[in-house]
Every structure is written in structure tokens, then in C-alpha cells.
Amino acid sequence: LIVVFIDNKTSPMSIPSFIYIFLSIISIGLTAIIEEIIFRHYIYKEFTKTQSKLKAIIFTSMIFGGMHLLNINSLSSIPYCLVQSVYTFGIGLILSIVYLFSRNIIYPITLHFLFNFINDTLVTSIFNIEWNFVFFIVNIIIGVLIGLYSLFIYKNYLIEEVFEYVS
């Protein structure tokens, strides 16, 4: 079953739903834990040693988005991976800002898990949505908007922080 689950050519509906969801939870959970420890706990912290927090957030998110280019498995998947790279940059901004505010790796792990589980498992299996270009365009728009909103929140947080230190 694990081989069937990992095989990209197998649709989620070809194995029993509860097994698919169970295996998704394990796979997505491990992915979220590993990626967040690498990107937020280690890479972000290393950037903050030499860069501002804002630059550390942006650089970490760029690397996070760029890492998703590794999902290319054929020439036809290049446009999809480019789109995924952009929306994961937006998600990376959010996760980095959450980590900055919370100073706790559990929160970005939880959000990362929820995003991937809802997007990859629930939406595609419940609504039987295909991974086509429109699906990725919607994801990229959502990622960019949420990324911009996260930067807006971060900017306002910095302004409040400066006023706190001044007064």
C-alpha cells in the first residue's frame, strides 16, 4: 500500500479513503516536521545571525520555495513546479513570521501540516479536484496574497515594537 500511495500515477480514489487519509497524515506530518525544523529552526536562525529579521524571513522563504523546484519529474511538470515554487514562497513567509512571533517551532509545523493536508488530501479527494494549471494558479494567487498580508502584519508589528521601545 505504501508503494501505491507514493506512486504519483495512482489516484487517491484508487485505494480505500481511510487508508489514503491515514497514510497522508503520516507522510504530510513527517514532511511538515522535517521541513520546518530545517527551514525555520536552522536556516532562519542562521540568517538572523548576520541579517535583519525581515531579510532572514525573505531569504528563508525564497530557499523554501526554490526547494520545491525539486518536485520536477518530467519536462511537462516544469510549469507546475514553478507555480508551486511561488506559492510555497508565500507560505514560507507566513510560516517564518509565525515562527518569529511565537518563537516555537510547533506552530509553523502545525500550520504547514494543515495547509498540506487540506490542500493535498482533503480538497483533492473529497472534491475530486485534478492537479491542473487552474488549481496551481489559484494556489499561487492565494500564496501571494497571504504572503503580502504576512509582510503587512510583520511591518505593523515592527512599528508597534519600535514605539514600545521608545516609550
Side-chain angles (χ1 to χ4, degrees):
L1 281 176
I2 292 174
V3 172
V4 171
F5 174 69
I6 293 172
D7 182 9
N8 289 337
K9 294 176 180 76
T10 304
S11 74
M13 302 314 278
S14 65
I15 48 181
S17 294
F18 68 94
I19 294 173
Y20 173 72
I21 290 174
F22 176 74
L23 292 173
S24 290
I25 289 171
I26 292 171
S27 173
I28 292 168
L30 289 173
T31 301
I33 290 168
I34 291 167
E35 286 184 358
E36 291 310 308
I37 288 173
I38 290 170
F39 287 96
R40 258 43 79 186
H41 191 70
Y42 290 114
I43 295 175
Y44 170 78
K45 279 187 174 180
E46 285 301 313
F47 274 125
T48 58
K49 291 178 181 175
T50 59
Q51 305 293 324
S52 70
K53 290 177 184 175
L54 181 60
K55 284 182 181 178
I57 287 171
I58 292 171
F59 293 154
T60 303
S61 300
M62 288 172 63
I63 295 169
F64 183 68
M67 183 215 44
H68 286 83
L69 290 172
L70 298 175
N71 292 335
I72 294 175
N73 58 11
S74 69
L75 287 177
S76 63
S77 68
I78 291 173
Y80 300 116
C81 286
L82 291 173
V83 170
Q84 183 187 36
S85 179
V86 173
Y87 78 74
T88 53
F89 168 75
I91 299 300
L93 290 172
I94 296 165
L95 296 172
S96 294
I97 291 170
V98 166
Y99 183 66
L100 170 69
F101 289 152
S102 68
R103 292 182 173 92
N104 188 339
I105 196 69
I106 296 300
Y107 297 116
I109 289 172
T110 303
L111 288 174
H112 191 152
F113 171 81
L114 289 173
F115 176 81
N116 285 352
F117 183 71
I118 291 168
N119 201 34
D120 296 346
T121 303
L122 293 183
V123 170
T124 54
S125 63
I126 291 173
F127 299 110
N128 202 18
I129 293 175
E130 292 183 31
W131 286 68
N132 58 25
F133 195 69
V134 173
F135 181 80
F136 282 106
I137 293 298
V138 168
N139 272 283
I140 198 168
I141 291 169
I142 291 169
V144 168
L145 290 175
I146 291 175
L148 291 172
Y149 182 66
S150 298
L151 289 174
F152 174 76
I153 290 172
Y154 177 75
K155 180 183 169 196
N156 286 338
Y157 170 77
L158 284 180
I159 291 170
E160 288 175 16
E161 198 175 86
V162 168
F163 282 121
E164 258 183 50
Y165 289 122
V166 172
S167 56

